[in-house]
Amino acid sequence: MAAAGSASWQPQEEGLKEICGLLEQQISPSSSADKSQIWQQLQHYSQFPDFNNYLAFILARAEGKSVEIRQAAGLLLKNNLRTAYKMMSPAHQQYIKSELLPCLGAADKHIRSTVGTIISVVVQQGGILGWPELLQAFINCLDSNDLNHMEGAMDALSKICEDIPQVLDSDVPGLAERPINIFLPRLFQSPHASLRKLSLGSVNQYIMLMPSALYASVDKYLHGLFGLANDPAAEVRKLVCAAFVQLIEVRPSVLEPHMKNVIEYMLQVNKDTDDEVALEACEF
């Protein structure tokens, strides 16, 4: 067990091998080992205060291991943090957070996605104030023009928007404005369908809450929606429909000036080649 400074924590080779071995058996369909026995072993390990550090290390740094093993470590870490995060020592919390951020731009999509899920859990447990570096890391990734980094940050952001949207619409000491004000303008322009889908999904989470930032830039938002209305990606068109359906329910006044265009669009999309998009349009 390492001293308090988070940078000084290092995994023991032996422990690393055993935990990776267990994870390997846990995910292997052909493994003859008894799954409940493996589970008990993992439970036994989770009694050690730095077990979650090992999992973070495997997820972030076990380059020689398969993506499946690294992902399994990440999913176990996510589940552990749901219950254990608040009881962990600040040094261990810090170590885990410092391992997660560089993985936002991981080359493998599955690793990025797992990291995004864990980040959302950490924010749920420790709040946005408990992780001052996070927002800056998101901004750096979104502004990087590197698709992996942009997608990793958008994915994590979209999970936070889905799980705890209100945290981004609150005042954060040290920030000149609410996080949502900082991210909204960055959410609308992207040449990549995967990013358009994530960002639109994120903003749609706020229609019900309608934070002042979104209300103030609602014309820009509608402009963005109309701009994506005939997007080549069906997933994006579906989200555009979902946005109009929600808006007519909770903020019809916002749509009033554009009603003719919206109705025409919805009628057009009723005949969309993608069944799910057409179905979403029917809700209107």
Side-chain angles (χ1 to χ4, degrees), residues 12-62:
Q12 306 282 329
E13 203 46 55
E14 196 47 43
L16 204 55
K17 246 168 66 185
E18 282 183 38
I19 294 169
C20 282
L22 280 173
L23 291 169
E24 209 154 338
Q25 287 180 303
Q26 188 195 27
I27 59 176
S28 153
S30 59
S31 158
S32 58
D34 178 9
K35 296 284 188 222
S36 65
Q37 209 179 344
I38 297 168
W39 193 79
Q40 277 171 332
Q41 272 298 113
L42 288 169
Q43 288 306 99
H44 165 71
Y45 275 116
S46 62
Q47 307 305 307
F48 294 101
D50 61 354
F51 177 59
N52 290 317
N53 290 19
Y54 276 94
L55 295 178
F57 182 91
I58 294 167
L59 169 68
R61 294 179 186 262

Side-chain angles (χ1 to χ4, degrees), residues 154-272:
M154 265 316 318
D155 184 55
L157 259 174
S158 74
K159 284 165 177 159
I160 292 173
C161 293
E162 202 171 314
D163 298 332
I164 30 171
Q166 61 286 1
V167 302
L168 295 180
D169 185 32
S170 47
D171 296 314
V172 178
L175 280 189
E177 44 189 348
R178 295 182 166 195
I180 181 97
N181 302 15
I182 300 169
F183 292 118
L184 262 184
R186 287 181 168 77
L187 293 183
F188 276 129
Q189 342 75 341
S190 179
H192 307 286
S194 59
L195 292 175
R196 294 197 301 273
K197 181 188 146 206
L198 286 168
S199 56
L200 192 51
S202 301
V203 181
N204 284 3
Q205 298 292 338
Y206 287 94
I207 294 177
M208 291 292 183
L209 294 172
M210 195 51 81
S212 51
L214 183 55
Y215 198 68
S217 55
V218 81
D219 284 335
K220 209 165 164 187
Y221 171 52
L222 290 174
H223 185 74
L225 281 180
F226 281 118
L228 297 172
N230 297 309
D231 199 272
E235 286 277 355
V236 175
R237 296 198 303 278
K238 189 177 156 190
L239 285 167
V240 171
C241 290
F244 283 135
V245 169
Q246 272 198 41
L247 280 166
I248 198 83
E249 259 176 53
V250 292
R251 294 279 169 177
S253 58
V254 164
L255 284 183
E256 257 164 37
H258 310 277
M259 210 39 130
K260 184 169 173 290
N261 291 346
V262 174
I263 290 170
E264 278 174 10
Y265 173 66
M266 286 309 208
L267 288 172
Q268 171 203 325
V269 190
N270 259 315
K271 310 193 230 350
D272 196 279

Side-chain angles (χ1 to χ4, degrees), residues 92-142:
H92 287 167
Q93 291 178 348
Q94 196 50 43
Y95 173 78
I96 289 169
K97 291 191 287 199
S98 69
E99 287 296 324
L100 289 172
L101 288 183
C103 291
L104 276 171
D108 186 274
K109 192 181 164 96
H110 301 291
I111 300 286
R112 291 199 302 271
S113 175
T114 305
V115 166
T117 309
I118 301 168
I119 286 176
S120 181
V121 169
V122 171
V123 173
Q124 284 174 59
Q125 298 297 322
I128 210 101
L129 296 180
W131 199 347
E133 312 85 49
L134 179 64
L135 295 173
Q136 194 50 56
F138 282 162
I139 291 169
N140 296 348
C141 286
L142 291 175

